[in-house]
Amino acid sequence: MKKLLFGFSALCMLIGVGANAADTQLLEQLSGHTLDAKQLKFSQVESCESLEKMLEKYAKETQEPLYRTFGLKKELAVESAAPMAQGIAAEAAMTNSISSSHTDFSQTNIQKIGVDEPELLKTDGTYFFYYNEKTQKVSIVASPLDSKTSTLDGTRIQLVNEIAVPKELNDIELFVTKGRLVLMGQLSDYGDAAYASFLSYQNRTVVAIYDISDIKNLKLLKFENLPGSYQDARLIDDQLYVISELRFNRWNWKGKSHDFRKGLASVEIDEQGAKVLPIECSQISYVLPEDKNLSLDPVFTLIAGIDIRNTSKKVSTTALLAPNGEIHMSKNALYLVSNFYTYNNWPCPSGLFCVMPVFRSTTQTMIHKFSRDRLNLKYQNTAIVPGSLLTQYSMDEDSDGNFRILTKVWEKHLSTQLYVFKPDLTLAGKLENIEPGEEFKASRYIGDKLYLVTFEQIDPLFVVDLANISQPKIIGELKIPGYSTYLHPLKKEGSKQYLLGLGYNTTQNERGGTVNSGVKISLFQVDYAKKQGDMIEVKELDSLNQGGKNSDSQVLSNPRLFVMDKKGNVTLPLHLVERAHQGEKCNITYDLQGKEQKKDCTPIVEPSEYFVGLKTFSVSPEKGIKEQFAKDYLKDILAKKGITTTGNSKQIQKEIWNNEEIFSLQDMRVGYAGDALYSFSNLFADFIFPNKKNYSIWFK
């Protein structure tokens, strides 16, 4: 035993000496290599036979096991997808339609002008289209706003039609534009045929396109049953791009037939009937390097380009054997961005005693660029940057076609990196190690400026100048309590740019750590004409806190739900918990004689009031942020049971978790139609007029 201990100690000592030695050749060898992007560019598959050999080799040699995936039942497979279209046919409903349209209504908050993003609730100003997860229907509700007179009439609000959605279809999202409704979702089944295929067949992507010009008689124009799990979509004019993902099932590879044409086929149903559309192996582009040091799983990413106006036009399919994690799309290009790992070892830092000379793997981000020509996508180039992406707002293409991307890096220390690429996706410039030790929380690109939020215990807001793409630099900084998770651009007046930040206020807990303590709304002013030393002036003009610990808003994690009207009023769905001090909790130590030596006390903070509903805030540089209106649905619901929303009541908490009506408010969507506010939940749609009168529709 002593020999074993001595041997282990000696090994540790040798490792420690090696890490500190002047000759670092061994550590350099062990620390891996910098990945060359040339290894990861797309190549074209020559034939189904070559694709099969490539995947078979990968199945045998790859280091990391894939998670088990399951197939789709035979009755829902490609050959029998046609009957599912009838399950999504529109059901007739009730009342007269309003044919006119207007622009005085809220729409989905999007990142790029002209590139629409999908959501559960869409409106064309005349009707609201809302997918209700409880009823499993798309409910179509007439708007109260008369576009000709700009007046509100509560009698206009009525359920005019519904679309029944099969129970097997989930993750529904919608687009609405110029007489077209697009429904997308994921068809899921986990049945007995789970192990039958070398591809994970349990999920299919469904796209249904409706003509809504006659709202009482909806017409299904096209139905697409696409391979793979639904990931995301974008709509530019009449061109729809739907992205799905199909995983390779290694455990079912051996001894199975590998019919790629059938496995990647889609089913199309239109006025001419049903057609099975296979994908030829020669259509597939792949990124699958033989480097065993990489964790690149063989995943099929499929991009279906669909003309929603001319539905007889053939679907343009881009088939890629490459993973995708997030997308960025402009009118000119599509970027597929994903994280992967390299098993490069990290050397023990100098002066640190380690039991191993090297450790840690490396996270990297891979970017593939495709140029866009209407429905056709053409591969351009690939780039790799260190670190991992946060959200789609971490990247942007500017008006000159330069691509900017932010990542957070965890190796050695936490930091934020910025990389700028030319239109050909070659590196133009970079800004690394931004605020080491702090975590990247939010970003927004506006023209040639980047606004960036990082956080550890306070919230630094950085302004980065991107005018010189080869030398991006920080030109402004502000440090304040709390942090933003979403930044929304407001107006620009002369040299002043205004921003709205939505996020969390923070406090220290009893252990000295930082915790969220309510929703925070901040109004920032960036004045490029004023300087403080070498930096421009960045100020928080005003802020407003809502609630305490455990308070939240869906907008903080889903910017598509952000709503701001023409007057600068912001309406947010909010779940607030106000907290109040209720005494102290003290730890007291005594000496042997019973005399008090030390007393450490922390305040006891307990819930004192609850709020679940919507609030509207006016926002302006002159008057700051002011609460204008609040609708507390929780208060109204609890009042029916004789319960108030104040006090630390276990009964209130029980109702919040168990009451179906309250629970349905967790995914509430809010917006405006003219001067009326509205909210949609799984149980009802509520319209609130300026005179505070409510008009509601209950969904069944």
Side-chain angles (χ1 to χ4, degrees):
M1 183 66 179
K2 288 182 179 179
K3 288 183 179 179
L4 289 174
L5 287 172
F6 173 79
F8 182 74
S9 300
L11 175 63
C12 292
M13 290 174 66
L14 286 171
I15 291 169
V17 170
N20 292 308
D23 183 6
T24 59
Q25 184 177 4
L26 175 62
L27 290 181
E28 289 175 356
Q29 291 174 355
L30 290 172
S31 65
H33 60 278
T34 301
L35 197 62
D36 185 357
K38 292 180 180 178
Q39 301 177 39
L40 297 170
K41 291 188 177 183
F42 279 105
S43 302
Q44 206 70 22
V45 171
E46 295 179 0
S47 64
C48 291
E49 290 75 18
S50 65
L51 178 60
E52 182 164 355
K53 288 179 181 178
M54 183 167 50
L55 289 175
E56 186 167 0
K57 183 178 181 181
Y58 191 92
K60 291 178 180 178
E61 296 182 357
T62 187
Q63 292 185 20
E64 286 294 294
L66 299 175
Y67 291 105
R68 182 175 294 278
T69 52
F70 301 92
L72 187 66
K73 273 188 177 179
K74 187 175 181 181
E75 60 266 25
L76 295 179
V78 170
E79 293 83 357
S80 58
M84 190 56 63
Q86 282 78 47
I88 303 187
E91 294 181 348
M94 310 173 187
T95 187
N96 295 328
S97 64
I98 305 170
S99 59
S100 59
S101 64
H102 53 82
T103 58
D104 190 20
F105 52 88
S106 54
Q107 300 185 69
T108 303
N109 184 42
I110 57 176
Q111 182 183 6
K112 298 287 284 188
I113 295 174
V115 183
D116 198 7
E117 301 178 25
E119 233 293 292
L120 292 180
L121 176 65
K122 289 286 187 177
T123 179
D124 59 2
T126 303
Y127 300 100
F128 297 92
F129 301 80
Y130 174 65
Y131 174 66
N132 190 317
E133 293 180 347
K134 184 176 184 296
T135 64
Q136 293 184 308
K137 295 176 182 178
V138 176
S139 298
I140 305 174
V141 178
S143 172
L145 186 65
D146 185 334
S147 60
K148 294 180 180 179
T149 62
S150 297
T151 57
L152 294 169
D153 183 355
T155 62
R156 293 178 177 273
I157 303 169
Q158 43 193 319
L159 186 66
V160 296
N161 211 334
E162 291 182 319
I163 300 174
V165 176
K167 64 180 181 180
E168 296 89 356
L169 202 60
N170 48 58
D171 296 333
I172 303 296
E173 292 188 313
L174 308 173
F175 284 113
V176 172
T177 181
K178 299 176 185 176
R180 293 288 187 270
L181 167 66
V182 181
L183 181 151
M184 299 154 297
Q186 184 166 287
L187 189 64
S188 300
D189 187 86
Y190 301 91
D192 299 333
Y195 306 101
S197 174
F198 67 101
L199 295 173
S200 55
Y201 271 140
Q202 85 275 19
N203 293 327
R204 302 278 298 178
T205 294
V206 165
V207 181
I209 303 172
Y210 293 90
D211 181 346
I212 56 173
S213 55
D214 182 351
I215 204 68
K216 291 197 298 181
N217 299 290
L218 305 182
K219 185 178 181 182
L220 180 61
L221 299 176
K222 193 165 192 170
F223 179 90
E224 292 284 339
N225 186 315
L226 307 171
S229 304
Y230 171 64
Q231 299 295 305
D232 209 342
R234 294 292 185 269
L235 181 66
I236 301 176
D237 298 323
D238 292 330
Q239 283 85 55
L240 172 69
Y241 304 86
V242 180
I243 299 173
S244 60
E245 180 182 274
L246 185 61
R247 290 192 170 271
F248 165 66
N249 192 341
R250 174 185 313 157
W251 287 273
N252 285 340
W253 178 266
K254 196 171 182 179
K256 303 288 183 180
S257 61
H258 307 137
D259 189 342
F260 293 100
R261 295 179 74 255
K262 177 182 175 181
L264 297 174
S266 60
V267 175
E268 179 178 285
I269 302 172
D270 55 21
E271 294 174 329
Q272 282 73 45
K275 292 177 285 187
V276 177
L277 305 174
I279 291 179
E280 301 297 335
C281 292
S282 58
Q283 291 179 252
I284 301 170
S285 301
Y286 69 92
V287 171
L288 198 63
E290 296 184 2
D291 191 339
K292 297 180 183 179
N293 201 39
L294 306 181
S295 66
L296 274 175
D297 287 339
V299 177
F300 287 98
T301 296
L302 302 160
I303 308 167
I306 304 171
D307 191 318
I308 66 170
R309 189 68 46 196
N310 181 7
T311 52
S312 62
K313 194 171 183 179
K314 184 180 178 182
V315 174
S316 174
T317 302
T318 302
L320 310 170
L321 184 58
N324 174 60
E326 187 62 82
I327 67 171
H328 178 76
M329 195 164 197
S330 68
K331 288 190 173 183
N332 301 314
L334 170 68
Y335 299 85
L336 300 182
V337 182
S338 60
N339 296 333
F340 68 99
Y341 298 90
T342 55
Y343 299 99
N344 295 342
N345 294 316
W346 179 67
C348 176
S350 176
L352 183 66
F353 184 77
C354 303
V355 296
M356 296 181 66
V358 288
F359 51 92
R360 279 197 177 193
S361 61
T362 302
T363 306
Q364 308 215 42
T365 294
M366 182 162 53
I367 308 158
H368 299 304
K369 179 179 180 179
F370 297 81
S371 62
R372 170 185 174 264
D373 180 12
R374 295 185 66 81
L375 293 178
N376 298 314
L377 300 173
K378 184 179 180 181
Y379 171 65
Q380 297 295 301
N381 208 348
T382 295
I384 296 171
V385 296
S388 57
L389 195 73
L390 182 62
T391 70
Q392 70 178 66
Y393 284 85
S394 306
M395 48 189 172
D396 178 73
E397 183 190 79
D398 69 14
S399 57
D400 295 323
N402 301 309
F403 183 70
R404 299 85 68 90
I405 184 169
L406 284 159
T407 62
K408 57 181 178 181
V409 175
W410 293 87
E411 284 73 37
K412 300 184 182 179
H413 55 72
L414 181 63
S415 65
T416 303
Q417 323 279 74
L418 168 67
Y419 299 94
V420 183
F421 292 91
K422 298 175 185 177
D424 62 358
L425 214 60
T426 57
L427 185 64
K430 60 183 179 179
L431 182 61
E432 297 180 307
N433 295 316
I434 302 172
E435 204 66 9
E438 298 211 347
E439 187 173 359
F440 167 33
K441 289 292 186 180
S443 61
R444 195 66 190 245
Y445 299 88
I446 305 176
D448 61 4
K449 300 295 186 292
L450 164 65
Y451 303 91
L452 169 67
V453 173
T454 64
F455 177 75
E456 185 180 25
Q457 290 185 324
I458 58 173
D459 171 11
L461 171 63
F462 294 99
V463 182
V464 182
D465 188 358
L466 301 171
N468 182 352
I469 62 172
S470 64
Q471 293 182 323
K473 61 179 180 179
I474 296 173
I475 60 172
E477 180 180 352
L478 173 69
K479 293 191 176 183
I480 53 174
Y483 63 93
S484 299
T485 61
Y486 174 65
L487 296 173
H488 191 79
L490 303 178
K491 63 182 178 179
K492 186 173 183 180
E493 292 181 339
S495 63
K496 298 175 183 178
Q497 172 70 59
Y498 297 97
L499 291 169
L500 189 69
L502 301 177
Y504 298 98
N505 196 18
T506 56
T507 57
Q508 278 196 335
N509 60 21
E510 57 190 50
R511 300 179 185 86
T514 304
V515 295
N516 294 342
S517 60
V519 175
K520 183 180 180 182
I521 309 170
S522 297
L523 176 60
F524 299 108
Q525 175 187 283
V526 180
D527 193 339
Y528 291 96
K530 286 187 178 181
K531 287 200 171 184
Q532 298 173 339
D534 295 332
M535 308 287 271
I536 62 170
E537 182 184 81
V538 184
K539 295 196 302 186
E540 184 182 48
L541 292 183
D542 197 12
S543 67
L544 188 64
N545 296 326
Q546 294 287 301
K549 183 181 176 183
N550 298 128
S551 297
D552 210 345
S553 172
Q554 297 174 67
V555 179
L556 304 189
S557 57
N558 185 0
R560 293 178 187 176
L561 306 186
F562 177 83
V563 173
M564 173 177 272
D565 66 19
K566 294 178 180 178
K567 300 175 183 178
N569 297 314
V570 174
T571 301
L572 302 175
L574 290 165
H575 183 166
L576 305 178
V577 183
E578 297 287 352
R579 294 178 179 269
H581 292 277
Q582 298 182 5
E584 290 183 327
K585 178 182 179 181
C586 297
N587 292 321
I588 305 173
T589 57
Y590 300 89
D591 60 17
L592 294 175
Q593 286 73 39
K595 185 178 179 180
E596 182 180 312
Q597 281 187 321
K598 187 178 180 182
K599 183 177 182 180
D600 292 322
C601 296
T602 55
I604 299 173
V605 182
E606 296 290 350
S608 59
E609 188 170 358
Y610 297 84
F611 176 95
V612 180
L614 63 86
K615 287 191 178 186
T616 298
F617 306 89
S618 62
V619 179
S620 72
E622 298 77 22
K623 297 182 180 180
I625 305 169
K626 307 294 181 186
E627 182 178 321
Q628 298 295 323
F629 175 76
K631 174 63 177 178
D632 189 348
Y633 290 106
L634 177 65
K635 182 178 180 180
D636 295 343
I637 294 169
L638 293 182
K640 299 174 187 176
K641 296 188 173 186
I643 306 171
T644 66
T645 56
T646 58
N648 183 18
S649 168
K650 291 183 179 179
Q651 189 176 15
I652 298 175
Q653 297 179 46
K654 182 179 178 181
E655 289 290 334
I656 288 174
W657 285 106
N658 298 320
N659 186 298
E660 182 184 23
E661 194 172 345
I662 297 172
F663 190 77
S664 72
L665 299 173
Q666 303 300 313
D667 293 323
M668 181 171 60
R669 267 57 176 170
V670 302
Y672 64 90
D675 291 328
L677 295 174
Y678 62 78
S679 64
F680 277 74
S681 70
N682 287 340
L683 292 181
F684 60 86
D686 185 37
F687 293 83
I688 308 162
F689 280 31
N691 60 5
K692 307 299 187 293
K693 187 173 182 179
N694 286 57
Y695 297 86
S696 299
I697 289 178
W698 289 80
F699 300 121
K700 298 179 181 180

